[in-house]
Amino acid sequence: MEFRDLKQQYQLHKTEIDTAIQSVLTRADFIGGGNVRQLESELGDYTGVKHCITCANGTDALQLALMTWEIGKGDAVFVPDFTFFSSGEVVPLVGAAPVFVDIDKNTYNISIQSLEHAIQYVIEKTDLTPRVIIAVDLFGQPADFDRIKQIAKKHNLLILEDAAQGFGGRIGERKACSFGDIATTSFFPAKPLGCYGDGGAVFTDNDAWAALLRSYKVHGKGTDKYDNVRIGMNSRLDTLQAAVLLKKLQFFDSEIERCNWVATEYTKYLSEIVRVADVKEGVYSSWAQYTVCFKNRTEREAAAKALKENGIPTAVYYKKPMHMQAAFKEYVMKDLDYSVTQQICDSCLSLPMHPYLSQDDVQNVIKIIRQIQEERI
Ligand SMILES: *Cc1c(COP(=O)(O)O)cnc(C)c1O
């Protein structure tokens, strides 16, 4: 069994994908080819956002957003304590201070209460100016944007939606990548919509920010790439990746539907014996990961071992809270509480999740976890 089965996906769609790749090779428009513009237009339509600007990866996408808003020295950016390193890494990269925020134990997303507390703390106890909330759609479930928007409005903050894992998710009819003032995603192969290498995109309805994003991603270009009006980056999605993504977008929704079937099965049979992610009413997850929590680290390690012995791969996303990463040492605010994140880092385990798991595969995973938990009782 594969943790995420990219080989089977390719075999099923080999003819169309090979043809798409071959036609880029024939045209030799490797950088900035027509497929890139077509993809930006289709991703804009898909998410319902006016501007989609592709770039080299999901980390650059986040950095480009912060550069566009001129976030820098003296600014505080709120980031969940439980996420991939990138969500926090980009903040010091632009010279600002990340302020880590504990998470909600049921959704794994940023805790609204802890966010309000952290903002208040920064205002009262530091010299930093609160500027941005980076809300991550962790494991595929969009964050609680209704309440995040209320808080952002109250404190005049910008919302940057990190939808690297959330692409394909929804709240009601609204798609992930449409909730932030700017939103970003990643096309790393293992993400919900993955390409065959690195890729990313930035989304916004704001015309002025879109223009700045297009400048920053091409060396701060003015009228063209040889007229440089600001310091920027070199961050582009290549045409081969765009060609692959255009093909994959055609069957993407049916893949996410199948992932939702897998998740429903897992939840039905596992929710009584381990803690499973709680997807809120009216919310649709893209299930980048299906993550359960055991009682403690020992139980987690025992389950991972039993699954491995039965040929079932698992992964721990994430072992270490952001505030414990050595790289962030100088930014840690010791008075803030991270007990939920700490507990989840010690007990979480992500199970195989992809559209090509069979009913037998899913039942097999369930059986092993039930067995080991029942032996314990
Ligand atoms: C993968 C990921 C990123 C970074 O994407 P890359 O394309 O690998 O740079 C950022 N944030 C989150 C939450 C991610 O999972």
Side-chain angles (χ1 to χ4, degrees):
M1 201 183 303
E2 302 271 342
F3 188 69
R4 231 173 152 83
D5 199 342
L6 298 173
K7 291 178 200 142
Q8 202 168 331
Q9 183 195 55
Y10 174 62
Q11 288 310 323
L12 266 167
H13 300 281
K14 187 175 182 330
T15 321
E16 323 137 59
I17 291 175
D18 286 356
T19 307
I21 291 175
Q22 190 57 55
S23 74
V24 177
L25 300 185
T26 307
R27 290 194 310 269
D29 57 350
F30 300 112
I31 298 291
N35 285 160
V36 178
R37 279 183 302 278
Q38 193 192 339
L39 178 70
E40 290 180 341
S41 153
E42 290 196 17
L43 292 174
D45 290 345
Y46 183 87
T47 54
V49 181
K50 189 169 174 195
H51 303 281
C52 167
I53 298 112
T54 52
C55 62
N57 57 67
T59 310
D60 279 8
L62 290 164
Q63 186 178 344
L64 285 164
L66 295 179
M67 288 167 82
T68 295
W69 288 336
E70 296 186 46
I71 303 303
K73 201 166 178 333
D75 293 335
V77 177
F78 299 88
V79 181
D81 198 36
F82 189 62
T83 177
F84 180 60
F85 187 63
S86 282
S87 317
E89 179 180 29
V90 291
V91 179
L93 266 175
V94 299
V99 178
F100 298 112
V101 179
D102 208 4
I103 56 158
D104 178 279
K105 75 175 198 309
N106 299 312
T107 62
Y108 306 122
N109 279 328
I110 197 164
S111 152
I112 299 304
Q113 220 181 349
S114 302
L115 176 61
E116 285 199 289
H117 180 73
I119 294 169
Q120 216 54 51
Y121 182 85
V122 167
I123 293 171
E124 288 166 17
K125 308 277 174 152
T126 75
D127 296 331
L128 298 168
T129 310
R131 294 287 308 277
V132 178
I133 302 166
I134 298 187
V136 180
D137 300 336
L138 201 76
F139 300 153
Q141 175 166 207
D144 188 352
F145 285 102
D146 280 349
R147 294 171 72 197
I148 293 170
K149 276 180 190 167
Q150 288 168 4
I151 296 175
K153 201 164 170 205
K154 182 167 148 201
H155 295 283
N156 195 22
L157 305 177
L158 292 159
I159 301 173
L160 174 50
E161 177 188 1
D162 179 353
Q165 301 180 16
F167 193 86
R170 297 196 296 265
I171 301 176
E173 290 306 306
R174 282 193 67 170
K175 293 257 176 51
C177 290
S178 76
F179 301 113
D181 294 299
I182 296 183
T184 62
T185 197
S186 162
F187 305 121
F188 182 81
K191 307 281 173 170
L193 180 62
C195 60
Y196 289 168
D198 277 307
V202 190
F203 297 82
T204 186
D205 283 327
N206 183 303
D207 298 341
W209 292 340
L212 281 168
L213 287 160
R214 290 205 178 277
S215 167
Y216 276 115
K217 66 165 266 190
V218 187
H219 308 286
K221 71 170 178 171
T223 46
D224 63 47
K225 120 181 199 189
Y226 302 102
D227 171 39
N228 310 92
V229 295
R230 52 182 68 84
I231 299 299
M233 296 169 74
N234 171 26
S235 189
R236 49 199 177 209
L237 180 80
D238 63 60
T239 314
L240 278 170
Q241 301 305 341
V244 170
L245 287 167
L246 279 167
K247 288 295 160 210
K248 284 207 190 183
L249 198 54
Q250 291 174 4
F251 52 85
F252 178 66
D253 276 344
S254 64
E255 288 196 336
I256 298 302
E257 251 172 64
R258 177 71 186 180
C259 288
N260 271 273
W261 173 82
V262 174
T264 307
E265 288 291 289
Y266 277 156
T267 299
K268 185 158 86 187
Y269 294 102
L270 292 176
S271 59
E272 280 170 19
I273 52 173
V274 288
R275 204 138 58 73
V276 299
D278 176 19
V279 178
K280 295 206 163 173
E281 180 88 24
V283 176
Y284 186 74
S285 174
S286 62
W287 293 108
Q289 301 294 340
Y290 188 94
T291 303
V292 301
C293 282
F294 292 84
K295 271 206 194 67
N296 51 42
R297 190 186 292 248
T298 318
E299 281 197 18
R300 190 254 309 277
E301 300 309 324
K305 183 163 170 274
L307 288 161
K308 191 175 175 198
E309 282 165 6
N310 285 276
I312 299 165
T314 59
V316 177
Y317 298 124
Y318 297 91
K319 272 200 179 80
K320 204 188 259 196
M322 298 286 267
H323 80 277
M324 303 269 282
Q325 294 286 4
F328 293 131
K329 210 166 52 196
E330 66 188 279
Y331 302 104
V332 175
M333 302 205 173
K334 296 216 163 54
D335 293 336
L336 298 181
D337 175 51
Y338 300 109
S339 48
V340 176
T341 301
Q342 188 62 67
Q343 193 201 336
I344 288 176
C345 286
D346 285 343
S347 61
C348 65
L349 188 69
S350 301
L351 307 178
M353 171 51 84
H354 59 78
Y356 308 104
L357 287 167
S358 68
Q359 180 130 26
D360 281 352
D361 290 337
V362 174
Q363 281 306 322
N364 216 2
V365 176
I366 292 165
K367 190 184 82 193
I368 309 288
I369 296 179
R370 291 188 74 109
Q371 259 171 16
I372 174 149
Q373 290 302 90
E374 275 155 21
E375 277 165 25
R376 201 173 290 282
I377 297 162

